[in-house]
Amino acid sequence: SGTVIGVVIYTGKETRSVMNTSNPKNKVGLLDLELNQLTKALFLALVALSVVMVTLQGFVGPWYRNLFRFLLLFSYIIPISLRVNLDMGKAAYGWMIMKDDNIPGTVVRTSTIPEELGRLVYLLTDKTGTLTQNEMIFKRLHLGTVSYGTDTMDEIQSHIINSYSQMHSQNSGNSTSSTPSRKPQSSAPKVRKSVSSRIHEAVKAIALCHNVTPVYESRAGVSAETEYAEVDQDFSDENRAYQASSPDEVTLVQWTESVGLTLVNRDLTSMQLKTPGGHILTYYILQIFPFTSESKRMGIIVRDESSGEITFYMKGADVAMSTIVQYNDWLEEECGNMAREGLRTLVVAKKSLTEEQYQDFESRYNQAKLSIHDRNLKVAAVVESLEREMELLCLTGVEDQLQADVRPTLEMLRNAGIKIWMLTGDKLETATCIAKSSHLVSRTQDIHIFRPVTTRGEAHLELNAFRRKHDCALVISGDSLEVCLKYYEHEFVELACQCPAVVCCRCSPTQKAHIVKLLQHHTGKRTCAIGDGGNDVSMIQAADCGIGIEGKEGKQASLAADFSITQFKHIGRLLMVHGRNSYKRSAALGQFVMHRGLIISTMQAIFSSVFYFASVPLYQGFLMVGYATIYTMFPVFSLVLDQDVKPEMALLYPELYKDLTKGRSLSFKTFLIWVLISIYQGGILMYGALLLFESEFVHVVAISFTALILTELLMVALTIRTWHWLMVVAEFLSLGCYVASLAFLNEYFGIGRVSFGAFLDVAFITTVTFLWKVSAITVVSCLPLYILKYLKRKFSPPSYSKLTS
């Protein structure tokens, strides 16, 4: 508003935002760590197998050279293509998430951890802007005897219009008598006031006690003349916008505007209000006491220009104000009622001061501000001398609306076995009522509010009290948390982890990150942090999986996160559907790639054994390369399109998610099953080729390799749970590639041409005997597995098949 003369920019290490951030770590998914373990096991198997072969050979000749030859021959056990397949799979999952029309605007900013979304146990969430919209709406004005809600605001408006029109007629009729007529009312609170005058006082107090500045944006088309016309600036409502440090204050001032008392101008020394009749009232600002998180209140002393009256207005949290205002019997009860509705409450009070009282205060106040020692304490003490026996004017209730579908989303996450912790910088009362209204804490559940503790003994007593309660939510403030973690870290985390929900209020950004690290360290489970502002960045970076929301507070969180979403409700689909699919698919893909390497190594081992443990390769150059690429790549990779449950089912039954956190899709058990399958199939393929084709032994490569490719394609078909048209295309494409290559690569299908001098005979391939024998081998290698799978599905079906049947 106006011209810029200079800009002060804070930079460097000492700024608040830099001191609150931590260095990001490289995140590695749990699935990758598990696959690394299995790969190590495979490496040991490779070495062991090579040593066994050399031992059976009897360590003849240059045995260590043979050892290395065996290591190379069996090197297919190590799944080198695993990383490539997985990384391509992750890229595919990211693309699917971003293309999902049900969660528009979602951005995947990492290509390493989409599977983490399927393994989360703890969700740590911010409150303001994440669960709530950070948009305040004025809901309730309570005067003790009478309460006004959204539907009765017009009554307040008519009272205001009446009282100001009366005042104005008094003023214009007799300017001298106006002062006495209003004076007794304010100085003698014993007289029972009319509702109209009390509303008048309350609205005036709300309109004056704040830190809001009205700003006039000159509309397009208005030239630079506005600068000179600032005195008679048009105070039209379309031009005006309010600026303040907190959205609550703006809401209160916008509300007073809606009932007829408008803040039109403000500078350092005065502010001007416009009455419903269009008259401007000027008030001089004598002192202002800003809001601090310790005092939990703000005050202002103003002098009315027309009457010269000095009034001290104050508003603040009920905890701070209840001791300052005169005795009353309704404040505490009504605050509780409003908090249960999820409203943020403010108590407004005033005190009329005589000129002498104010002069006395000002001299003491200035003296306190000049003192060198304990200045803050002395200043606070002087201000407190004023804060006594203040007249309680009203109680306001402002609602920070929850984001769309927060309740069903939190309910879904809870049913999915995810424990939700809310970490917020807000005060305890607000955090508790938002936790209730968002159903983070269910209505029937007990809440244990952890008393503020400062010493070890207090922490011990409070922990013991908490230990005696079962299945109750925990609400704790940041300071108490620090004390507990300092002395009883292990006990506290253990107790907190048993809670269905935990709310930490008055948390600093570094504390949020510390809590995430504690959970990771103590539970070893996967954590996810979600937030929307710069103060959540360190928590998002510390968590195993960070989700940012693009909210009112800019894009800091969404840019620092691994996944960026536009609304909190999208997290349900992100975890239940995409997290599930990513984890299940990667597990299937990883194990299949390992199986693909193991089966060919088993065949090589049997082949070498038959030939007196000679280190001779079964398949030459291109066949080995083509096996993992052209012949089986497409069907195996098409597993990234597989899904075991339809998205609607996954969202309808979030309990299915619990199974994923146990990590049963990829474990040493499933890995061993795949190893046994590989050994069985490799043995059948090789021995089948040797038995059925004894007379045409020169063709062993063509036979066994054809059976191997067919087996792999059938195994992919066995593994798939839901077919997709691309999978069918991939199967037939691979088969086509193989049949075509038989014609071109005939010299590869002879066994070591030099020793046997055999070339592939196209006539042999086309004979019926070749076809039936290859089919027989393939059937023996695959049919038992199909039967076993059918029996398993019949007698111990997985939880999801019960839903889909």
Side-chain angles (χ1 to χ4, degrees):
S1 56
T3 52
V4 174
I5 297 165
V7 181
V8 179
I9 298 173
Y10 293 93
T11 62
K13 292 177 186 162
E14 274 73 46
T15 54
R16 188 167 147 192
S17 55
V18 175
M19 289 168 80
N20 269 330
T21 52
S22 49
N23 287 331
K25 58 175 185 177
N26 285 337
K27 298 186 181 181
V28 180
L30 189 57
L31 185 100
D32 290 342
L33 297 173
E34 289 168 346
L35 283 170
N36 286 351
Q37 297 296 336
L38 298 181
T39 313
K40 287 173 192 166
L42 287 172
F43 175 74
L44 293 174
L46 164 69
V47 176
L49 185 58
S50 305
V51 170
V52 166
M53 285 306 221
V54 174
T55 312
L56 291 172
Q57 223 180 21
F59 292 107
V60 287
W63 63 268
Y64 47 88
R65 193 185 301 165
N66 287 341
L67 177 68
F68 277 102
R69 289 181 72 169
F70 279 124
L71 282 172
L72 288 174
L73 283 180
F74 299 139
S75 63
Y76 247 67
I77 290 182
I78 304 287
I80 297 173
S81 58
L82 178 63
R83 282 259 61 94
V84 182
N85 274 306
L86 273 182
D87 288 344
M88 283 167 61
K90 289 175 191 214
Y93 310 142
W95 184 82
M96 288 173 198
I97 292 171
M98 291 205 266
K99 284 278 171 279
D100 189 343
D101 295 333
N102 293 296
I103 47 173
T106 303
V107 184
V108 179
R109 300 190 193 279
T110 173
S111 59
T112 50
I113 55 168
E115 301 89 4
E116 287 293 272
L117 293 169
R119 310 288 296 277
L120 302 174
V121 180
Y122 289 97
L123 176 72
L124 300 104
T125 168
D126 178 41
K127 181 184 78 67
T128 311
T130 303
L131 297 178
T132 63
Q133 295 175 7
N134 210 359
E135 284 177 10
M136 310 296 173
I137 294 170
F138 192 94
K139 284 277 180 172
R140 188 67 55 84
L141 179 75
H142 205 295
L143 300 168
T145 51
V146 57
S147 166
Y148 293 94
T150 39
D151 44 353
T152 48
M153 291 298 175
D154 46 348
E155 287 184 34
I156 298 181
Q157 196 169 356
S158 57
H159 279 305
I160 292 290
I161 292 170
N162 290 342
S163 62
Y164 272 109
S165 58
Q166 277 175 11
M167 261 177 58
H168 187 65
S169 58
Q170 277 181 341
N171 278 355
S172 53
N174 183 352
S175 58
T176 49
S177 69
S178 72
T179 317
S181 71
R182 282 167 60 215
K183 193 74 178 160
Q185 198 180 31
S186 53
S187 59
K190 303 288 177 282
V191 182
R192 191 67 185 255
K193 293 184 186 177
S194 69
V195 170
S196 185
S197 67
R198 283 164 56 202
I199 289 176
H200 173 106
E201 284 295 332
V203 173
K204 188 166 82 175
I206 296 169
L208 289 171
C209 183
H210 54 70
N211 248 323
V212 182
T213 310
V215 179
Y216 292 89
E217 301 292 341
S218 57
R219 286 182 303 249
V222 180
S223 64
E225 290 167 30
T226 48
E227 275 184 42
Y228 305 106
E230 243 178 36
V231 185
D232 45 45
Q233 199 169 19
D234 70 331
F235 290 139
S236 63
D237 294 342
E238 312 85 72
N239 270 5
R240 190 184 313 105
Y242 293 114
Q243 288 186 349
S245 55
S246 101
D248 305 49
E249 292 213 303
V250 175
T251 305
L252 292 173
V253 174
Q254 281 171 340
W255 175 76
T256 62
E257 180 185 348
S258 72
V259 295
L261 197 55
T262 312
L263 174 69
V264 288
N265 206 349
R266 175 176 186 144
D267 52 35
L268 291 173
T269 55
S270 68
M271 63 178 116
Q272 290 175 319
L273 302 181
K274 188 167 76 175
T275 64
H279 302 286
I280 303 284
L281 308 174
T282 306
Y283 292 89
Y284 298 115
I285 301 172
L286 302 176
Q287 298 288 352
I288 193 157
F289 314 110
F291 179 90
T292 65
S293 50
E294 287 78 46
S295 68
K296 296 186 177 58
R297 55 188 182 268
M298 74 143 304
I300 190 168
I301 302 180
V302 292
R303 174 181 286 153
D304 186 345
E305 184 195 38
S306 57
S307 64
E309 274 181 26
I310 298 174
T311 317
F312 173 37
Y313 289 109
M314 186 161 228
K315 69 172 183 209
D318 50 297
V319 231
M321 298 293 286
S322 54
T323 52
I324 291 171
V325 296
Q326 294 170 351
Y327 172 75
N328 61 77
D329 51 7
W330 58 272
L331 182 63
E332 195 176 330
E333 188 184 340
E334 287 307 326
C335 280
N337 290 343
M338 285 195 193
R340 279 186 281 282
E341 287 177 44
L343 302 181
R344 298 157 77 113
T345 52
L346 277 176
V347 180
V348 184
K350 74 163 205 178
K351 186 178 195 176
S352 296
L353 303 174
T354 60
E355 190 67 45
E356 300 77 49
Q357 280 175 318
Y358 176 69
Q359 293 301 339
D360 169 50
F361 164 76
E362 192 177 31
S363 61
R364 287 186 296 129
Y365 187 64
N366 289 338
Q367 192 136 17
K369 285 208 287 194
L370 294 174
S371 61
I372 295 166
H373 301 296
D374 302 332
R375 182 181 311 151
N376 289 355
L377 285 172
K378 287 179 183 168
V379 169
V382 174
V383 177
E384 261 170 39
S385 67
L386 268 193
E387 297 170 351
R388 291 199 185 127
E389 286 296 300
M390 293 186 74
E391 182 187 341
L392 173 58
L393 295 177
C394 66
L395 176 64
T396 64
V398 173
E399 182 181 41
D400 183 1
Q401 284 190 307
L402 288 175
Q403 281 199 19
D405 293 337
V406 160
R407 289 182 187 135
T409 305
L410 286 174
E411 198 115 334
M412 180 198 292
L413 295 172
R414 241 203 344 262
N415 290 340
I418 297 174
K419 292 188 174 171
I420 304 164
W421 289 37
M422 185 163 92
L423 313 179
T424 172
D426 249 348
K427 65 173 194 234
L428 193 128
E429 296 81 7
T430 319
T432 312
C433 70
I434 290 288
K436 280 181 185 165
S437 61
S438 65
H439 292 194
L440 172 68
V441 178
S442 62
R443 299 274 176 200
T444 52
Q445 220 158 42
D446 287 341
I447 295 183
H448 178 79
I449 296 180
F450 212 86
R451 281 187 309 119
V453 294
T454 47
T455 62
R456 184 173 183 162
E458 287 176 2
H460 183 67
L461 287 171
E462 195 56 28
L463 271 175
N464 280 347
F466 177 45
R467 189 179 277 117
R468 283 194 286 275
K469 293 192 178 174
H470 293 292
D471 190 48
C472 74
L474 170 66
V475 178
I476 186 169
S477 69
D479 308 342
S480 308
L481 187 70
E482 282 288 293
V483 178
C484 288
L485 294 179
K486 188 175 170 188
Y487 299 114
Y488 299 106
E489 184 179 296
H490 187 72
E491 291 91 328
F492 177 77
V493 177
E494 202 175 308
L495 283 173
C497 287
Q498 291 166 6
C499 293
V502 178
V503 177
C504 302
C505 44
R506 291 280 182 232
C507 270
S508 67
T510 31
Q511 246 178 344
K512 290 182 179 183
H514 183 50
I515 293 170
V516 173
K517 287 176 188 147
L518 266 180
L519 280 178
Q520 289 168 337
H521 174 67
H522 278 276
T523 63
K525 300 277 194 297
R526 303 319 262 180
T527 57
C528 172
I530 178 167
D532 73 314
N535 59 342
D536 304 312
V537 170
S538 46
M539 153 170 99
I540 285 172
Q541 288 177 339
D544 296 301
C545 173
I547 300 177
I549 293 182
E550 290 181 22
K552 295 263 183 302
E553 296 188 30
K555 288 198 168 190
Q556 274 173 300
S558 88
L559 289 173
D562 306 307
F563 302 90
S564 160
I565 57 180
T566 51
Q567 285 179 293
F568 183 80
K569 65 175 179 183
H570 292 169
I571 195 175
R573 189 174 177 91
L574 194 65
L575 302 190
M576 301 301 130
V577 177
H578 294 291
R580 175 184 193 84
N581 286 344
S582 301
Y583 169 57
K584 286 271 189 180
R585 289 163 176 173
S586 282
L589 186 66
Q591 295 183 114
F592 210 93
V593 173
M594 290 176 179
H595 155 79
R596 189 170 69 181
L598 279 165
I599 191 170
I600 202 165
S601 301
T602 307
M603 292 171 74
Q604 174 70 55
I606 292 168
F607 177 76
S608 292
S609 312
V610 171
F611 282 91
Y612 310 105
F613 309 107
S615 46
V616 178
L618 169 58
Y619 300 128
Q620 296 292 329
F622 185 79
L623 290 189
M624 291 302 274
V625 176
Y627 170 64
T629 53
I630 294 174
Y631 303 145
T632 58
M633 167 73 199
F634 301 114
V636 172
F637 188 68
S638 72
L639 288 170
V640 302
L641 297 167
D642 188 23
Q643 54 178 29
D644 55 348
V645 174
K646 285 196 171 68
E648 300 73 42
M649 280 289 169
L651 291 167
L652 190 60
Y653 299 103
E655 290 78 7
L656 290 171
Y657 189 88
K658 280 183 192 169
D659 286 353
L660 302 183
T661 51
K662 295 170 185 163
R664 288 179 179 163
S665 299
L666 176 74
S667 60
F668 267 105
K669 182 185 167 186
T670 59
F671 171 67
L672 287 172
I673 290 170
W674 275 103
V675 170
L676 292 173
I677 290 172
S678 309
I679 292 171
Y680 165 75
Q681 287 185 328
I684 292 290
L685 292 173
M686 205 60 222
Y687 280 119
L690 296 175
L691 281 173
L692 292 179
F693 292 95
E694 233 162 313
S695 52
E696 303 100 356
F697 191 68
V698 282
H699 299 302
V700 72
V701 173
I703 298 146
S704 62
F705 199 75
T706 308
L708 172 65
I709 297 295
L710 290 173
T711 299
E712 280 297 306
L713 297 181
L714 285 170
M715 282 303 291
V716 170
L718 176 72
T719 310
I720 287 170
R721 287 164 288 221
T722 312
W723 282 86
H724 186 284
W725 64 271
L726 279 171
M727 295 172 173
V728 183
V729 171
E731 293 266 334
F732 283 109
L733 182 69
S734 296
L735 195 58
C737 285
Y738 179 67
V739 172
S741 67
L742 279 177
F744 297 117
L745 299 169
N746 48 19
E747 79 266 19
Y748 276 113
F749 287 97
I751 269 195
R753 295 193 307 278
V754 188
S755 51
F756 287 81
F759 284 93
L760 184 74
D761 187 358
V762 178
F764 169 69
I765 287 186
T766 48
T767 56
V768 179
T769 43
F770 174 80
L771 290 174
W772 86 254
K773 288 183 175 178
V774 166
S775 306
I777 295 171
T778 312
V779 166
V780 174
S781 79
C782 289
L783 193 63
L785 297 174
Y786 271 86
I787 294 167
L788 282 171
K789 182 178 180 181
Y790 172 75
L791 292 173
K792 184 171 187 295
R793 281 223 133 179
K794 195 141 185 67
F795 296 115
S796 113
S799 51
Y800 59 83
S801 67
K802 296 169 191 168
L803 302 174
T804 49
S805 56

